[in-house]
Amino acid sequence: MAGYLKSRIRNIRYITSIVSIALMVISLAAFAIRGLNMGLDFTGGMVTETAISRSVTSHQLLDVLKPALGDSTSVTRSGADGRWVIRYALPEQGGEAGQTVPDVEQLLHQVSGQVEIISNSMVGSQVGQDLVEQGGLALLVCILCILGYLCFRFEWRLASGALLALMHDVVLVLGFFALTQMEFNLTVFAAVLAILGYSLNDSIIIADRIREMLVAKQQTPTPDINDQAVIATFSRTMVTSGTTLITVAALWLMGGAPLEGFATAMFIGIISGTWSSISIGTVLPEWLKLEPKHYLPAEVDSAP
């Protein structure tokens, strides 16, 4: 029975690795062809806070605003009933912030008899470009720090599996947003950074167990050790992923439109993080010929 279970685990690991590689190729192609639908945080735009009748819903607002202001227009509640924050892109040929207020106010009068513009501010394109550069730098520093930690903690063959699993999770999230053209804003970028840490934790749990078994069971083939490591950590992985998914589901259901992108990215990242830690994180070291001798002390490794 144990041998049958291990063989099934091994087949699952190999099949999911092939599927993961295919998904990465599709995601990279979507990212290269379609790109990301950058939100106003990165492209610049207008942010208007208004007070209107309490009976007006977000769907009514969007039905009126989107045809005039563009599909990137979003509305979110702001504190008390009847107060909304409207975000929309600037016209291509520009204009001062005050020139757009009468247009928005006129549009709002179509759904509400009482309209008050509380504030109106502009996020310039230069600010958006700075956010893109700073966000990219933060992502690069994060990846370099993780790479340094993995190189210090594990032998390079085992570390490469964890690193590729990490890249797999981020690429799948970016590919999903490129395919669906969902808005990519600062909250989604924060989710990507969170996914890096979550996926790394999942991969390290399995990698640590593989390293321990390589030393303790030196006569056991590496594929068998990987199967045993996955079985030994499976319950812990499922509990961790399950409880995290419950939290993300609560954000998804109760957070509304402002947290929709964050919750979506986290949901994909958690699923792919659990998947890749078991598949890519264990299969790649096998392909790179990881063996128990790579974790033996130098004097033992060189003994006759």
Side-chain angles (χ1 to χ4, degrees):
M1 183 65 182
Y4 174 76
L5 180 60
K6 290 178 183 178
S7 65
R8 291 297 300 272
I9 290 292
R10 189 174 308 171
N11 290 335
I12 291 172
R13 290 195 296 111
Y14 292 160
I15 293 172
T16 52
S17 295
I18 296 173
V19 173
S20 294
I21 293 173
L23 289 175
M24 286 184 68
V25 172
I26 294 173
S27 297
L28 289 172
F31 183 76
I33 295 172
R34 306 194 66 179
L36 295 173
N37 178 24
M38 297 299 228
L40 299 182
D41 297 326
F42 298 110
T43 61
M46 299 295 299
V47 179
T48 300
E49 185 175 2
T50 182
I52 58 177
S53 301
R54 296 183 178 182
S55 60
V56 178
T57 65
S58 61
H59 295 292
Q60 291 175 314
L61 285 174
L62 291 175
D63 289 342
V64 170
L65 296 175
K66 277 191 173 183
L69 302 178
D71 291 336
S72 63
T73 303
S74 65
V75 295
T76 55
R77 292 188 180 273
S78 175
D81 291 341
R83 295 187 63 168
W84 298 86
V85 174
I86 305 170
R87 295 178 173 85
Y88 53 97
L90 287 168
E92 292 185 1
Q93 295 185 342
E96 296 297 329
Q99 295 176 345
T100 63
V101 175
D103 296 335
V104 174
E105 188 172 1
Q106 184 178 5
L107 291 170
L108 293 175
H109 274 297
Q110 298 179 25
V111 293
S112 174
Q114 177 186 0
V115 176
E116 178 187 357
I117 301 298
I118 298 173
S119 65
N120 196 57
S121 58
M122 180 176 65
V123 179
S125 58
Q126 182 59 45
V127 175
Q129 182 62 32
D130 290 343
L131 286 174
V132 173
E133 295 174 357
Q134 293 171 8
L137 181 61
L139 185 61
L140 177 61
V141 171
C142 181
I143 292 176
L144 289 177
C145 290
I146 290 174
L147 178 60
Y149 171 77
L150 290 175
C151 292
F152 173 77
R153 183 75 177 269
F154 301 107
E155 199 267 343
W156 72 269
R157 294 170 180 83
L158 198 54
S160 62
L163 184 61
L164 185 58
L166 201 66
M167 295 173 59
H168 165 273
D169 302 335
V170 174
V171 167
L172 256 60
V173 171
L174 295 180
F176 175 84
F177 276 82
L179 279 172
T180 60
Q181 289 296 289
M182 287 182 63
E183 183 179 306
F184 188 89
N185 51 33
L186 283 178
T187 59
V188 178
F189 181 75
V192 171
L193 294 178
I195 289 167
L196 286 172
Y198 181 87
S199 177
L200 179 65
N201 176 72
D202 216 14
S203 298
I204 285 176
I205 291 174
I206 297 179
D208 265 333
R209 184 55 60 91
I210 291 175
R211 182 179 59 178
E212 292 172 0
M213 290 185 173
L214 284 172
V215 176
K217 302 180 178 181
Q218 299 177 20
Q219 304 303 318
T220 305
T222 301
D224 290 342
I225 288 178
N226 287 339
D227 294 337
Q228 295 173 25
V230 170
I231 294 172
T233 59
F234 187 77
S235 60
R236 176 178 177 179
T237 299
M238 290 299 101
V239 169
T240 303
S241 300
T243 53
T244 310
L245 283 175
I246 292 174
T247 305
V248 172
L251 289 175
W252 203 341
L253 295 174
M254 307 299 294
L259 293 179
E260 182 181 4
F262 178 86
T264 301
M266 286 297 298
F267 184 85
I268 297 171
I270 292 169
I271 297 296
S272 65
T274 304
W275 173 309
S276 63
S277 299
I278 295 174
S279 59
I280 295 178
T282 60
V283 173
L284 184 60
E286 288 183 26
W287 291 348
L288 297 175
K289 306 300 182 182
L290 177 68
E291 296 178 4
K293 66 179 182 181
H294 296 127
Y295 275 101
L296 293 178
E299 61 273 11
V300 175
D301 191 28
S302 61

